[in-house]
Amino acid sequence: MAKKEESPLSRVPRAVRVASLLSEGEELSGDDQGDEDEDDHAYEGVPNGGWHTSSLSLSLPSTIAAPHPMDGPPGGSTPVTPVIKAGWLDKNPPQGSYIYQKRWVRLDADHLRYFDSNKDAYSKRFISVACISRVAAIGDQKFEVITNNRTFAFRAESDVERKEWMQALQQAMAEQRARARLSSAYLLGVPGSEQPDRTGSLELRGFKNKLYVAVVGDKVQLYKNLEEYHLGIGITFIDMSVGNVKEVDRRSFDLTTPYRIFSFSADSELEKEQWLEAMQGAVAEALSTSEVAERVWAAAPNRFCADCGAPQPDWASINLCVVICKRCAGEHRGLGAGVSKVRSLKMDRKVWTETLIEALCAAVTTTDLAETQALLGCGAGISCFSGDPEAPTPLALAEQAGQTLQMEFLRNNRTTEVPRLDSMKPLEKHYSVILPTVSHSGFLYKTASAGKLLQDRRAREEFSRRWCVLSDGVLSYYENERAVTPNGEIRASEIVCLAVPLPDTHGFEHTFEVYTEGERLYLFGLESMEQAHEWVKCIAKAFVPPLAEDLLARDFERLGRLPYKAGLSLQRAQEGWFSLSGSELRAVFPEGPCEEPLQLRKLQELSIQGDSENQVLVLVERRRTLYIQGERRLDFMGWLGAIQKAAASMGDTLSEQQLGDSDIPVIVYRCVDYITQCGLTSEGIYRKCGQTSKTQRLLESLRQDARSVHLKEGEQHVDDVSSALKRFLRDLPDGLFTRAQRLAWLEASEIEDEEEKVSRYRELLVQLPPVNRATVKALISHLYCVQCFSDTNQMNVHNLAIVFGPTLFQTDGQDYKAGRVVEDLINHYVVVFSVDEEELRKQREEITAIVKMRVAGTASGTQHAGDFICTVYLEEKKAETEQHVKIPASMTAEELTLEILDRRNVGIREKDYWTCFEVNEREEAERPLHFAEKVLPILHGLGTDSHLVVKKHQAMEAMLLYLASRISDTKHGMMKFREDRSLLGLGLPSGGFHDRYFILNSSCLRLYKEVRSHRPEKEWPVKSLKVYLGVKKKLRPPTCWGFTVVHETEKHEKQQWYLCCDTQMELREWFATFLFVQHDGLVWPSEPSRVSRAVPEVRLGSVSLIPLRGSENEMRRSVAAFSADPLSLLRNV
């Protein structure tokens, strides 16, 4: 026997092993000949995913299938094809070399695959069992697997093992052919193959030529070319139960698995969309189950679509009790849920109760159920009176008789709209039945139910007068007050939304809309406002649970339940109750206290994410984010339109505009911010007028939805923006200073004593409405900055007063007192508006940064005056990831992050904590910027060895969970400490790392020599510290979990310390506490955590430890005592 070759895997370390998706000696070229050249270098950098677990054995018996990464993906529910045989074999390359290469080979019922290692997730090659024509022995321990045009040679360890492999292959071939004869499927020239959802050529990053890709069921298969696809010989296939597809750019998309990211590129944007749709369908297919389908198909008539006869239909109408194919399911869905309730046999698992499965299986065979179906189709009423007071409805009769199938069928048809003949009048029968107490009744005018939103006005002639009764949670409507059988009914439990349109929206003065789970909309009308209000109140009480009763205390435009995600609970959607009243959105969630109403006109963001089928409404207000999901399209679209309308400007007054956090209208903020960034040095700013047509168009768009308007350099001229701002302020109906106080302001300007005049201005300022007061301060603050550049822009205080006096007081320019008021407010800006030194310092720093960058840009010739362009990287510093972004003075780190992600079309998924990092390459450290930090001052202080990068904060989720579950707001413990004194951090380091005890509270960070120490060696104010993750390697840190702390003294000297923790968890806890105390608990822009802060049980062996509480001295004494005698604290437990 030939000497066994040493496995290449044993010679190459796993961490650096290059494992391509192709077989050895096979290169992705257009040549399909058998003698292909070996070229491993073509696939370098395209690693094959490994299964990283120490439990996998490298020396498993060949008769036992080794665990494999794709055999059981975590959380996957797709049944996996069982492995018939697996083990190590030597394989001969295509060139016929005498050197065999060791491969891990796996055989299942459908494929023969071989891998570099038993830990690889994706094969080098796979051969469809259906393509194998025969298996033959060719010598000592060798055998051949022969297909139509290829022969694969393998060598086993012994003749016995070879015989086992050949028998296993022959058995798999026989079973495959038997299945093919039964299914009669010869769709692609490959017996037994499944019809693909999509096929075609795609570019895959890392390969020279295009691959032929097929989406088949729940798998994505990769082939070298079209010919090999038809021959059934492929490279590998990807199980979509662990896959996720996301769009990257115009033609590219990524298929992400736990083992590898496949980056594909299509020829066009349309093709990319089609591939995305096909692969997303494969993900849905992989996460589905065939258990229900197999049981339904057990009845022979259910194996074919009831409409078109297609085999193996995987959809059904649960109220019609018929099985249909995917194409016919779309037609049924178009009829509306009131006619056909379509559900998937594979994905809608919760729907398929045991009784419903039996009903569907028996629908075609049971006589009495078929008769019930026929009666319903002819117009029989589901809720008609049976004549038996003890069982007044057909459903009650079926329950009394124990007919479970009949009961299931009737329940699923309670909201079905049955056909009726208008020429037939309902029979009026009178029965001696004691009716239950009626909650409310009366005549209402009703239109036919609709399956889409009512965009057009419904004329009075379209309404029909109906007698309506609300009783026992059911709203029934009858032909008249004497009719016994209702024309239809709406169960309160199925109502998802109640909406009240504006008066005179339709033919009747007052109307209201009822939305149901079946995607139907019912419109009712009345002439009397009191009666309409009473009906709305009664219906609301009937379907709103006690949990949300507080929402009924106020009038509303819309009320209902919606799935939502909020706070840290983003893993799963919950159902909450919402009411919309004016511009307030009130919410009641099943967990936690009643939420503060969202002020929709003060939203920082209102956006729609997801595709047309799975839309999500994102509302961001004051650092809390709410995700409202569109589970039911009809009522969600109604909510979406109503919320967008409520969030828009409602009128011309200041208080009716979209407002920011500081009650400043967004329209004012947008214009002031743009001019601060781009127009401070523009000569004649505010004195020059923009083009009338452009100014008018800009002002109209700002008034309509200022939040969605983003002013950009090159698209709008500064003079157009300044003219739009002046026009807006001049056209205010009540003026900025209000009509009631306008005269008092003008009279105050004539006071000769400056102190008395300033005091009078302060009194009048307090009397202004809050929005007007905030707007005056923002505008005067802006004009104060403008006049600082009067040497360049020629707009000193006097010139600005001449322009803005008549504008703000809406005079004709003849009254000099208006200009004097503006001039006084600018000159005394700090005193009148109580501007403290810190606020003034920040304002000056921002303006200084803008000027410095403008000067630098002008000198380099790369920027226009006023521009500030910064380079920001996405995920890592590379030329292809850089983005050039204009940074306004007010831009925060959160806004910059969203801007970068939006440019690269990167979607934010659950638990994606995208953050902007300040990276210092010289110090080998990085600092995640707080979401509310202003970016401009940070950029001003960046050195040449620093940059900004936007990437995911991998530790944020763990940090938030820690903060939500900790006991107190302080943190203490031992860390390795090293000091580095120098000016600007450039000096020589001093000493090494030493153990020190630290206590961090809301005011300072204290360093003690040891736990027993009572006086700190050092103490630093916590809000003046900058904490960077990482310690430079040349300092030889004792652990890899360290951070660098930088403190700038009053003399602008920078001091640095290096701290190291023993574990990664300790590092995250310290860093999370730093963020918490520095930013007053606002670590991430979301709602406060609802996680319980109960004291966790800490155990030493089997004995519970006492959690440390109390003051800092008490904590240090407790730790010191425990260090000296660990049992001292436990003797009395």
Side-chain angles (χ1 to χ4, degrees), residues 1003 1020-1026 1045-1049 1057 1078:
S1003 60
W1020 305 281
V1022 69
K1023 294 201 174 182
S1024 66
L1025 302 178
K1026 286 188 175 181
V1045 180
V1046 179
H1047 172 60
E1048 185 173 354
T1049 65
W1057 304 278
Q1078 285 183 326

Side-chain angles (χ1 to χ4, degrees), residues 464-652:
S464 301
R465 189 169 182 260
R466 294 288 182 263
W467 176 256
C468 298
V469 177
L470 177 62
S471 175
D472 289 342
V474 180
L475 175 62
S476 305
Y477 46 93
Y478 300 78
E479 191 73 22
N480 52 56
E481 69 274 25
R482 298 184 304 276
V484 176
T485 304
N487 288 6
E489 62 182 24
I490 306 171
R491 291 193 172 272
S493 59
E494 295 182 350
I495 297 177
V496 296
C497 180
L498 179 62
V500 183
L502 293 174
D504 201 30
T505 300
H506 299 288
F508 282 83
E509 181 72 15
H510 303 283
T511 55
F512 60 90
E513 300 171 349
V514 177
Y515 297 76
T516 67
E517 286 182 341
E519 301 277 1
R520 304 303 294 177
L521 186 159
Y522 298 83
L523 177 64
F524 298 91
L526 278 171
E527 286 293 353
S528 169
M529 181 180 68
E530 291 77 12
Q531 292 180 10
H533 185 269
E534 187 66 21
W535 270 107
V536 169
K537 183 174 69 174
C538 291
I539 294 174
K541 287 182 178 180
F543 84 98
V544 173
L547 169 73
E549 281 183 346
D550 292 343
L551 298 178
L552 306 180
R554 301 180 57 182
D555 291 339
F556 54 84
E557 286 89 45
R558 189 170 286 267
L559 172 73
R561 52 187 167 97
L562 289 165
Y564 77 95
K565 294 182 181 180
L568 296 177
S569 302
L570 299 179
Q571 294 81 8
R572 59 183 180 88
Q574 303 180 73
E575 192 169 67
W577 289 86
F578 299 84
S579 73
L580 178 63
S581 178
S583 61
E584 285 188 351
L585 181 66
R586 296 179 176 271
V588 175
F589 300 146
E591 299 175 2
C594 184
E595 296 289 326
E596 287 292 323
L598 271 78
Q599 304 296 330
L600 296 179
R601 288 209 301 273
K602 291 187 178 182
L603 291 178
Q604 297 175 355
E605 177 188 344
L606 190 159
S607 62
I608 305 170
Q609 299 180 0
D611 53 30
S612 59
E613 295 297 328
N614 300 292
Q615 289 186 328
V616 178
L617 175 62
V618 182
L619 306 176
V620 181
E621 185 232 11
R622 292 184 179 177
R623 295 174 295 279
R624 58 172 171 166
T625 304
L626 181 65
Y627 301 87
I628 298 178
Q629 295 184 320
E631 184 179 63
R632 297 170 299 270
R633 180 170 179 79
L634 182 61
D635 67 297
F636 176 75
M637 296 306 295
W639 277 104
L640 178 60
I643 290 175
Q644 288 177 330
K645 183 178 179 181
S649 299
M650 303 294 290
D652 295 329

Side-chain angles (χ1 to χ4, degrees), residues 922-923 981-987 1046 1048 1052-1056:
R922 177 174 57 84
E923 291 293 333
R981 289 193 186 94
S982 63
L983 288 175
L984 300 178
L986 297 176
V1046 179
E1048 185 173 354
H1052 300 290
E1053 295 181 351
K1054 285 189 177 180
Q1055 299 175 346
Q1056 291 185 187

